[in-house]
Every structure is written in C-alpha cells, then in structure tokens.
C-alpha cells in the first residue's frame, strides 16, 4: 500500500443509502392510528387514585391517572395505570386470531366504574381510553 500525500484528495465515501422505512415496534396491545380529523380535545382536569381493573378473567389493584377531556359536547377520558399486569400479558391468543384486550372496567377509588380499552400493556404499566362518554366525577 502506498502513502498518500497531504495534497491528495480524500477518498470518497460510498454513496449514502436512502433511510430504511420505519417499522413500528408497537406492542400487539397498541392502539391503531388516530384520525387527524378527530374533534379537538380540551383538557378539563385529572383524577388520580387507587382502584381496581376488572375483566372476566379476574381483577387487579392499580394506581390510575385519568385525564378528562372535552370533545365536542361530550367528555372523554384516557390515562395510565400502574400495577402488576402479568395476568393480562399471560392471556393466550389462539393462533391466527388478533390480539385484543378483554372487556375491562376501571373502578375508581370512589366506586365509580367506567369501561376502558387497555393498550400498550407492559409488566407494570398500561395505557387506557374510556370506551364511552365520561359522566363520572368532575376532575378537581
């Protein structure tokens, strides 16, 4: 191999390749894409406390953070849960069927219950959206 002089042009790097298409690494529990045409949300407040997540196969104690939004003339909720979600993660799904969360209810500290759709389940945390219009307690 020969030496290059300081006046020699540096060797050209190979042409850059186009970036690879992004692939989603979402959990099978992840929610679908959100519509850009959805009504705007206005945060009204939040509720936090200890409650129960209930489904046909069991229930578990959770800490919840529930955000209440105004959407159009109604109110909707979404939030996060903390707890031991190993029972949900262990649910077996028959081959060829889509992974969907069981119908679940979130019981708040004051006893109020709301149907929720669970998403993004991890061993100690999960996200949720209210499955119906919120008519529960006003956030403080």
């Amino acid at each position: 191999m020969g030496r290059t002089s300081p006046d020699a042009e540096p060797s050209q790097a190979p042409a850059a390749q186009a970036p690879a298409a992004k692939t989603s690494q979402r959990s099978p529990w992840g929610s679908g894409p959100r519509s850009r045409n959805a009504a705007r949300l206005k945060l009204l407040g939040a509720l936090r406390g200890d409650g129960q997540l209930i489904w046909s196969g069991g229930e578990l104690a959770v800490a919840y953070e529930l955000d209440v939004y105004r959407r159009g003339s109604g109110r909707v909720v979404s939030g996060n849960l903390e707890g031991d979600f190993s029972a949900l993660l262990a649910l077996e799904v028959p081959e060829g069927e889509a992974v969907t969360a069981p119908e679940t209810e979130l019981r708040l500290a004051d006893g109020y219950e709301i149907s929720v759709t669970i998403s993004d389940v991890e061993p100690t945390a999960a996200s949720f959206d209210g499955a119906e219009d919120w008519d529960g307690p006003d956030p403080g």
Side-chain angles (χ1 to χ4, degrees), residues 52-69:
Q52 293 287 116
L53 187 65
I54 304 163
W55 70 98
S56 62
E59 65 180 71
L60 61 96
V62 295
Y64 61 85
E65 180 179 294
L66 180 145
D67 296 322
V68 181
Y69 298 92

Side-chain angles (χ1 to χ4, degrees), residues 4-94:
T4 58
S5 71
D7 297 334
E9 290 186 37
S11 63
Q12 296 236 336
Q17 294 179 332
K22 291 185 180 180
T23 58
S24 175
Q25 297 297 322
R26 299 180 92 179
S27 159
W29 291 92
S31 57
R34 303 204 186 264
S35 169
R36 291 182 183 259
N37 296 327
R40 289 188 168 247
L41 298 175
K42 178 183 178 189
L43 180 64
L44 299 176
L47 299 170
R48 292 171 181 78
D50 294 321
Q52 293 287 116
L53 187 65
I54 304 163
W55 70 98
S56 62
E59 65 180 71
L60 61 96
V62 295
Y64 61 85
E65 180 179 294
L66 180 145
D67 296 322
V68 181
Y69 298 92
R70 168 133 347 260
R71 181 173 61 191
S73 61
R75 297 186 305 169
V76 296
V77 298
S78 66
N80 296 303
L81 303 170
E82 292 181 357
D84 178 3
F85 295 96
S86 56
L88 281 178
L89 291 171
L91 291 177
E92 292 196 25
V93 178

Side-chain angles (χ1 to χ4, degrees), residues 47 75 108 112 133-139:
L47 299 170
R75 297 186 305 169
L108 305 183
Y112 183 83
D133 282 343
W134 175 254
D135 62 357
D138 286 329

